[in-house]
Amino acid sequence: MFLRDDYLEHHGQVQNLQEVAFILGVARPSLSRALALLLAQGVVRKEENGYKLAAK
């Protein structure tokens, strides 16, 4: 998955969903759904300042 394998590994976190959606060329609701799926799978964790990759 591009979000996990590229953006998150390079930037470390997602803080501004609208900005990241623009960078990735996707709609913000689509990004939110992808993050929700990754959260449910334990790939990312939600913190006060955004989403971060969970420990491997």
Side-chain angles (χ1 to χ4, degrees):
M1 178 175 280
F2 177 79
L3 178 64
R4 181 182 134 214
D5 294 338
D6 235 6
Y7 188 89
L8 279 174
E9 286 186 4
H10 184 261
H11 292 90
Q13 66 183 1
V14 172
Q15 290 180 326
N16 182 317
L17 291 180
Q18 188 65 39
E19 181 181 341
V20 174
F22 177 78
I23 291 168
L24 297 177
V26 300
R28 195 217 32 87
S30 297
L31 177 59
S32 293
R33 284 191 296 274
L35 283 169
L37 179 63
L38 292 172
L39 186 62
Q41 294 174 347
V43 176
V44 298
R45 65 184 189 276
K46 187 171 183 178
E47 296 187 348
E48 208 173 281
N49 58 343
Y51 294 89
K52 292 186 178 183
L53 280 175
K56 293 182 181 183

